[in-house]
Amino acid sequence: MTTDSDPTHFLDIDDVSRDELSAILERASEYKRAQQAGEDHADLDGQTLGMIFQKPSTRTRVSFETGMTQLGGHAVFLGEDDIQLGRGEPLKDTSRTLSRYVDAVMARVFKHENIEVLAEYADVPVVNGLTDDAHPCQTLADLLTIREHEGGFEGVSAAWIGDGNNVAQSFALGAALTDLDLTIATPDGYEVDEDVLERSRDLGGDPTVTTDPVEAATDADVIYTDVWISMGQEDERDVRMNDFEGFQVCSDLLDHAPDASVMHCLPAHRGEEITDDVIEGDRSIVFDQAENRLHAQKALLSWLLE
């Protein structure tokens, strides 16, 4: 489906303004309420989302596909081997072709430059479902979860503890857009990219960066972690397990933040970056966070396609 004007894409969280982000989160809350009340909200009736997956996923696939169904639309799963990408078709050709068929494209790929190419040649909105550099849809769910549990963002402090990976990088930008007080604790060599920190500062953020997880966690309202070994890094396992020693989110660490809620984007490697008792504990909001992928992405899609 071609359009007469340039589409709006969502490749990272700072592709939206503060006001736009606030509007998307408010819409997500409205959709969540409507779903819980059993109210119809088929705002994308008859529209189709094409979903490209180079990387497999539970939450991304199910939340987007279910979300489109609940909005009255349809989602088409396109694995790399199901379409011509797996046979060497240029991304720009795939993008231009899909634009003639669908109303939006969500892609979960490895290289961030691949999502940029898809967006450059698409005539419909392109959504980043994850790249090696960014995971903005996860950040939408994260911010929605914090907003629900903390009653907003003013005066809220968050600690990221672990790898300065794609989830951390988008979260740092989201924190800046919402004025979250963010401290990032990573081991040496695993920091958030400096250009991301600079973008965060340009947005008005002022993240504290440290290599001390206790410093980051102390008196935090939210403690957030992710796996130390992401997809494609399995051959680095022994090195990473050694480098991340002391960065586990465990009960001892939570003693320094007696009022903190705990977040994890899942899947979790229990016993590595987070202990089983913490993720199953009363302070865990991990599964609220997972659920909110659905509501946040519905809001994003309807905002992009309205």
Side-chain angles (χ1 to χ4, degrees):
M1 173 184 160
T2 57
T3 59
D4 294 330
S5 58
D6 291 335
T8 298
H9 303 300
F10 186 70
L11 308 188
D12 209 341
I13 195 73
D14 56 344
D15 282 343
V16 298
S17 68
R18 285 171 174 258
D19 288 344
E20 289 168 336
L21 176 58
S22 179
I24 292 168
L25 294 177
E26 182 59 32
R27 185 176 300 195
S29 294
E30 292 171 0
Y31 278 142
K32 187 171 186 176
R33 182 200 58 76
Q35 180 180 325
Q36 291 172 344
E39 297 174 1
D40 178 72
H41 50 285
D43 294 341
L44 298 183
D45 184 32
Q47 300 201 50
T48 300
L49 174 69
M51 306 189 303
I52 297 174
F53 281 83
Q54 288 183 329
K55 282 186 170 185
S57 170
T58 300
R59 278 149 291 277
T60 298
R61 177 175 180 178
V62 176
S63 58
F64 269 107
E65 193 162 337
T66 302
M68 280 300 291
T69 300
Q70 292 178 354
L71 290 170
H74 178 63
V76 180
F77 176 83
L78 303 168
E80 187 174 31
D81 293 332
D82 299 324
I83 56 178
Q84 295 300 321
L85 275 180
R87 301 177 180 87
E89 180 176 55
L91 277 168
K92 61 184 180 180
D93 292 357
T94 297
S95 182
R96 287 184 288 202
T97 301
L98 283 178
S99 294
R100 305 297 180 101
Y101 301 146
V102 303
D103 299 280
V105 173
M106 185 280 296
R108 184 177 169 91
V109 298
F110 286 93
K111 295 179 180 178
H112 194 77
E113 64 191 51
N114 287 346
I115 200 82
E116 293 175 330
V117 170
L118 285 169
E120 180 181 356
Y121 289 92
D123 292 321
V124 297
V126 172
V127 174
N128 180 0
L130 175 140
T131 67
D132 287 344
D133 291 348
H135 199 353
C137 290
Q138 181 63 56
T139 299
L140 286 179
D142 300 339
L143 295 173
L144 179 60
T145 306
I146 292 171
R147 184 176 182 259
E148 289 175 344
H149 283 268
E150 297 294 332
F153 302 108
E154 185 176 354
V156 177
S157 62
W160 176 274
I161 296 175
D163 191 8
N165 60 13
N166 50 359
V167 179
Q169 296 195 149
S170 289
F171 186 68
L173 297 171
L177 284 167
T178 53
D179 294 325
L180 275 175
D181 180 8
L182 177 64
T183 302
I184 303 169
T186 64
D188 286 326
Y190 296 92
E191 298 88 353
V192 167
D193 287 348
E194 184 56 42
D195 71 304
V196 173
L197 294 177
E198 188 59 36
R199 283 161 61 194
S200 172
R201 296 183 189 105
D202 289 344
L203 293 168
D206 187 22
T208 299
V209 178
T210 181
T211 57
D212 184 349
V214 172
E215 177 188 347
T218 298
D219 295 329
D221 297 304
V222 176
I223 293 176
Y224 193 175
T225 191
D226 189 13
V227 294
W228 297 338
I229 304 156
S230 297
M231 195 180 304
Q233 297 173 336
E234 291 80 6
D235 59 345
E236 303 173 23
R237 178 176 180 81
D238 291 343
V239 171
R240 283 176 169 264
M241 289 297 291
N242 180 70
D243 291 347
F244 282 92
E245 185 176 356
F247 280 79
Q248 185 183 71
V249 176
C250 58
S251 58
D252 286 346
L253 185 68
L254 293 188
D255 287 342
H256 298 279
D259 298 320
S261 299
V262 177
M263 295 173 60
H264 192 302
C265 61
L266 300 179
H269 295 168
R270 299 181 185 218
E272 293 182 9
E273 76 279 356
I274 192 167
T275 57
D276 189 76
D277 65 304
V278 168
I279 203 170
E280 295 289 353
D282 293 340
R283 297 164 67 181
S284 171
I285 55 174
V286 169
F287 296 101
D288 291 343
Q289 184 185 359
E291 177 190 344
N292 281 338
R293 287 288 303 274
L294 172 65
H295 309 299
Q297 288 161 186
K298 285 160 63 175
L300 173 66
L301 289 169
S302 69
W303 179 77
L304 288 170
L305 290 170
E306 67 182 1

